[in-house]
Amino acid sequence: MPLGAAKQALLAAAGVATGDVVLLETYTAGGEGEKVFSNLNNADYKSMIFEFIDLHGSADDTDLTFQVRDADDDYGTINVTTSAVRVYRDQSGSSTGFGYNTAADSLAASGKIPITAGTHFGAQYALNGYMILYNPASTTYATNFVSRLSTALQTGSYPSCEWYFGGYADISKALTAIRFDFAVPDANMDTGIIRQWGVK
C-alpha cells in the first residue's frame, strides 16, 4: 500500500527507502478491551512501527500499556526494562516541566508495561504517537523499543504532555505478539486507530 507524502518524507529523512515500509494492519477501535498484533516474528521485517492516531479510552485517569510474548510463554512473563522522560506545559504557561521520570520506569518488570504514566487522559483528549520495536524476530538479542506519545493531562488546566520511553524485552527468542490495552482494568479502546508498519 502506498505511503502518504508526509510518511515518505519522514522515512526518507531517516534513511529508510519507502518501498521497504509495508502497512501490515490497521485496527479501528470499537470498544474492545485490548488489541493484539500477532505477527512480530516475521523475519522479513527488521522493525515494527505502531502508529497511534486519536486513540480514546473509555475511562479517565488511565495510561496506555503493552505486553509481549513469544511462542512458548504467555503475556506478562517476559521482563521489560524501560526509562521514561516527560515533557509538559499547561495552557497558561505557568506550569512546565521536562525531565526523567523515575515513577514511570519499569525495572525488570513483567505484567503491564506503561508507555505513558500519570497522563490521566480519557474521552476528552486523544493519544497520538508511535512505538518502534527493533528486530523482534531475533533469536540472539533482546528486543529494544522506543516510543513517543502525546496527549493532555486531565488535571489542572489540561497541560499538553509528551512521553519518551525506551527499553528492551529481556529475551533472546523471537517475539510473536504484542498486546496494547489500558492500565485501568475496565477501560476499553472506544475510538481511534492503531496502524502496524513493517520495515524491511
Side-chain angles (χ1 to χ4, degrees), residues 84-88 97-101 104 117-119 153 160-165:
V85 172
R86 182 179 68 169
V87 181
Y88 67 90
F98 175 89
Y100 189 77
N101 193 281
T119 50
L153 295 177
S160 170
C161 185
E162 207 164 350
W163 281 101
Y164 300 82
F165 273 75

Side-chain angles (χ1 to χ4, degrees), residues 24 26 29 37 47 57 71 82 84 86 92 100 104 110 116 124 149 158 170 175 177 188 190:
L24 300 177
T26 298
F37 294 90
S47 61
T82 68
R86 182 179 68 169
S92 68
Y100 189 77
S110 55
T116 66
Q124 187 175 358
L149 294 162
Y158 305 107
D170 192 11
L175 298 180
N188 295 324
D190 273 0

Side-chain angles (χ1 to χ4, degrees), residues 2-13 16 18:
L3 293 171
K7 289 187 178 68
Q8 285 183 336
L10 176 65
L11 291 166
V16 177
T18 53

Side-chain angles (χ1 to χ4, degrees), residues 52 54-55 87 115-116 119 121 125-130 147-153 159-164:
F52 305 95
D54 291 338
L55 190 62
V87 181
I115 46 176
T116 66
T119 50
F121 72 95
Y125 294 100
L127 178 71
N128 292 276
Y130 62 84
S147 64
R148 180 180 180 184
L149 294 162
S150 178
T151 185
L153 295 177
S160 170
C161 185
E162 207 164 350
W163 281 101
Y164 300 82

Side-chain angles (χ1 to χ4, degrees), residues 60-189:
D60 294 337
D61 298 331
T62 189
D63 291 296
L64 185 64
T65 68
F66 78 95
Q67 292 176 303
V68 290
R69 64 167 298 168
D70 60 27
D72 301 315
D73 298 308
D74 204 355
Y75 297 106
T77 60
I78 298 172
N79 284 333
V80 177
T81 300
T82 68
S83 57
V85 172
R86 182 179 68 169
V87 181
Y88 67 90
R89 183 178 190 273
D90 71 3
Q91 292 174 350
S92 68
S94 60
S95 178
T96 61
F98 175 89
Y100 189 77
N101 193 281
T102 56
D105 282 345
S106 296
L107 180 58
S110 55
K112 292 186 176 185
I113 308 300
I115 46 176
T116 66
T119 50
H120 307 306
F121 72 95
Q124 187 175 358
Y125 294 100
L127 178 71
N128 292 276
Y130 62 84
M131 177 181 186
I132 305 173
L133 288 178
Y134 295 96
N135 206 13
S138 174
T139 57
T140 305
Y141 303 109
T143 297
N144 293 93
F145 80 92
V146 295
S147 64
R148 180 180 180 184
L149 294 162
S150 178
T151 185
L153 295 177
Q154 203 154 337
T155 58
S157 58
Y158 305 107
S160 170
C161 185
E162 207 164 350
W163 281 101
Y164 300 82
F165 273 75
Y168 62 92
D170 192 11
I171 186 170
S172 56
K173 293 193 289 186
L175 298 180
T176 58
I178 186 168
R179 177 169 68 187
F180 295 103
D181 63 4
F182 290 109
V184 174
D186 296 331
N188 295 324
M189 296 183 181

Side-chain angles (χ1 to χ4, degrees), residues 18-70:
T18 53
D20 292 338
V21 182
V22 179
L23 179 61
L24 300 177
E25 185 176 348
T26 298
Y27 160 71
T28 301
E32 298 80 11
E34 62 184 37
K35 171 56 185 170
V36 173
F37 294 90
S38 57
N39 56 353
L40 298 187
N41 58 334
N42 188 330
D44 290 340
Y45 303 104
K46 294 301 182 185
S47 61
M48 297 282 182
I49 302 173
F50 298 92
E51 183 183 18
F52 305 95
I53 303 168
D54 291 338
L55 190 62
H56 291 259
S58 63
D60 294 337
D61 298 331
T62 189
D63 291 296
L64 185 64
T65 68
F66 78 95
Q67 292 176 303
V68 290
R69 64 167 298 168
D70 60 27

